[in-house]
Amino acid sequence: MQAGGRRRAGRGARERLILDAAVAVFTERGFSASTLGAVAERAGLAERLLGDHFGSTNGLFRACVERAKTELLEATSSAAGLADSPEGMLRLSALAFFNHVERNESTWRLLCSDPAALDSIRAQQTDFVAALLAERAPRADPYRLAGWAQVIAGACERLAAWRASVRTVSAAQATDCLMDMVWTGLAACGDGRVQGGSPTPHNGRR
C-alpha cells in the first residue's frame, strides 16, 4: 500500500474510533451532558483533534447519525441484492435490518433519543422499501407504493423495539412476523394492477 493509502486507512480507523467513543458517551450521558473532552478521553485522543475535525458535539453527533444511516442502508441493500425473488428481497432486507439493529444497539438507542435523527433514518429506509416494492409492482399507484413502504418501515421499527424490550424474539422470528402480515397482501397485488381507487392527496378538501 502506498503512503497515501496508509494515511487514508489511518484516518478512517481514527474516525471509527472517535465515532464509537462518541456513541458510547452520548448513550451513557445524554447529548446535553456530553462534551468533546469526554469523547476524546474515551477515545484516548487529544480533544483538539476532535474539535478540528468535527467542530462541536453537535457536529460529532451529526457524524454519528450519518454513519449509522450509511451502514444501515448498506446492510439492507446488500442483503436484498442476494435475493432471487421479490419476496426474498423483502425478507432478506428485513432480516438484515433486525440483525443490524441488534448488533448496533447503542447506536440505535442514540438515534431513537433524537427525533430528527430518527426521522432521517425513517425517511431513508422508507425510500429504500418503496424502491423494493416498485420492483414487485412496477405499475402500482405511487401513493400505494409510498403507503406500503410507510407500513413496512414502521412495522420494522416497532418490531425492533419489541425485540429490544423482551429479548426473546430472534431476528428470524421478527422477520416471519413481518412477512406474515405484509406479504400476503403484496402478493395479491401481482404485477401492480391493484383493485380499487387510487388515493388522491388533499388538504382536508375533496
Side-chain angles (χ1 to χ4, degrees), residues 69-95:
K69 289 174 62 178
T70 298
E71 292 181 345
L72 179 58
L73 186 58
E74 287 178 350
T76 52
S77 59
S78 295
L82 298 175
D84 57 6
S85 68
E87 179 181 7
M89 290 172 64
L90 182 57
R91 180 179 291 278
L92 290 181
S93 62
L95 181 62

Side-chain angles (χ1 to χ4, degrees), residues 27-149:
T27 302
E28 292 170 5
R29 300 188 177 193
F31 178 76
S32 61
S34 298
T35 63
L36 287 182
V39 176
E41 182 178 359
R42 178 68 64 95
L45 298 170
E47 182 178 348
R48 175 184 56 80
L49 291 175
L50 275 67
D52 290 344
H53 194 73
F54 299 101
S56 64
T57 52
N58 186 64
L60 187 53
F61 183 84
R62 291 300 113 197
C64 290
V65 172
E66 289 306 310
R67 182 179 71 163
K69 289 174 62 178
T70 298
E71 292 181 345
L72 179 58
L73 186 58
E74 287 178 350
T76 52
S77 59
S78 295
L82 298 175
D84 57 6
S85 68
E87 179 181 7
M89 290 172 64
L90 182 57
R91 180 179 291 278
L92 290 181
S93 62
L95 181 62
F97 174 86
F98 295 127
N99 279 325
H100 184 82
V101 168
E102 182 178 2
R103 286 194 300 267
N104 298 274
E105 185 176 1
S106 294
T107 298
W108 187 251
R109 288 205 309 271
L110 180 63
L111 293 171
C112 290
S113 72
D114 183 84
L118 190 55
D119 282 345
S120 181
I121 288 285
R122 284 171 176 160
Q124 172 185 272
Q125 291 307 114
T126 300
D127 288 345
F128 168 69
V129 172
L132 290 185
L133 296 180
E135 294 192 31
R136 166 62 187 172
R139 288 187 283 170
D141 187 283
Y143 295 111
R144 287 186 182 275
L145 287 176
W148 294 336

Side-chain angles (χ1 to χ4, degrees), residues 138-163:
R139 288 187 283 170
D141 187 283
Y143 295 111
R144 287 186 182 275
L145 287 176
W148 294 336
Q150 292 285 345
V151 169
I152 292 170
C156 284
E157 184 182 326
R158 291 309 308 157
L159 284 167
W162 177 49
R163 290 190 66 221

